Amino acid sequence: DNPAGLAASGSERSKSSTRSLPRAASSCADMPTIVDVGHVRQLDLAIEVPQRELQAVCSHEHWAEIYERLVRLIEEHRSTLIFVNTRRLAERISHQLAERLGEEAVASHHGSLAHRLRHETEQGLKQGTLKVVVATASLELGIDIGHIDLVCQIGTPRSIATLLQRVGRAGHSLGVVPKGRLFALSRAEGSECRAMVRAVYADRLARA
């Protein structure tokens, strides 16, 4: 009941806490230190532009050059995955490539297709019966499609995170560097693609 007694009790608790600090510090000193250095995956990224100077929109002549360049890249690799931003463009590009490479070598993959057709395309790419698949975000992740040698992005992906996710579909074997090629479709997209590649190599991620 003595207020002084309470004060003394508080003082004793303070001294007790002070005496325990060295033991706590000693205990922490004995514990291992964990340092998170992160993980930066190597990438082989490059931008593809037609020989004709890009304009505000992609002309028929520009598209012809793009298709021919795609054919050369596809023929240089065992398997190629081409990402586009719309289902309409997926069908258009797959049709153009089928005319140049043969219908048995090309397929499209997007959400409007029946599940059976999408599954057949995934298996064809995985088993190597398809040389190239043109896809929307439907093949960005979560589906086993086997080893992919090259990823092409037609048009800007609008996001560094999306670009990394898509290019990351290539080179899943141990020690293989993912390889991606960005095809700019206009002058503005050319600038945006260059900025994205610089940001990736500078190890910055979009916050959007």
Side-chain angles (χ1 to χ4, degrees):
D1 296 334
N2 187 345
L6 290 175
S9 177
S11 175
E12 289 173 3
R13 284 196 299 270
S14 176
K15 290 178 182 178
S16 176
S17 299
T18 302
R19 287 193 299 270
S20 68
L21 285 176
R23 291 195 297 272
S26 175
S27 175
C28 291
D30 295 337
M31 295 181 65
T33 301
I34 300 174
V35 179
D36 182 8
V37 297
H39 172 70
V40 179
R41 192 182 184 191
Q42 280 189 304
L43 294 175
D44 176 2
L45 279 177
I47 301 171
E48 298 277 351
V49 294
Q51 291 185 352
R52 291 179 176 84
E53 184 179 356
L54 286 170
Q55 305 297 324
V57 295
C58 195
S59 67
H60 292 296
E61 292 77 15
H62 288 136
W63 274 113
E65 288 189 44
I66 290 171
Y67 292 138
E68 293 309 313
R69 179 55 179 159
L70 283 172
V71 168
R72 288 196 297 272
L73 287 172
I74 293 165
E75 290 176 339
E76 292 171 1
H77 298 83
R78 186 187 67 85
S79 57
T80 301
L81 180 57
I82 298 176
F83 280 107
V84 297
N85 298 327
T86 66
R87 298 168 183 175
R88 180 180 179 182
L89 193 55
E91 291 293 342
R92 174 183 172 183
I93 293 178
S94 61
H95 172 74
Q96 292 291 333
L97 292 177
E99 289 189 340
R100 292 164 170 81
L101 297 167
E103 292 185 0
E104 70 284 352
V106 185
S108 62
H109 190 289
H110 53 76
S112 293
L113 295 172
H115 174 75
R116 177 183 60 82
L117 294 176
R118 294 199 306 271
H119 180 71
E120 289 176 357
T121 297
E122 294 155 14
Q123 292 303 306
L125 194 56
K126 184 177 180 179
Q127 296 167 8
T129 57
L130 287 171
K131 285 281 294 179
V132 56
V133 169
V134 187
T136 58
S138 59
L139 280 183
E140 273 186 17
L141 51 84
I143 299 176
D144 182 11
I145 53 176
H147 179 79
I148 300 297
D149 291 332
L150 172 69
V151 168
C152 295
Q153 168 68 43
I154 308 300
T156 171
R158 305 293 183 190
S159 162
I160 296 175
T162 299
L163 173 62
L164 293 175
Q165 183 67 58
R166 293 181 174 184
V167 174
R169 293 294 271 165
H172 274 196
S173 300
L174 184 63
V176 178
V177 177
K179 186 176 183 180
R181 296 294 180 262
L182 283 75
F183 284 76
L185 301 180
S186 67
R187 188 186 299 116
E189 285 195 359
S191 299
E192 186 172 343
C193 287
R194 285 191 294 272
M196 283 190 177
V197 171
R198 284 196 299 267
V200 168
Y201 281 125
D203 197 27
R204 297 197 301 267
L205 293 178
R207 296 182 180 271

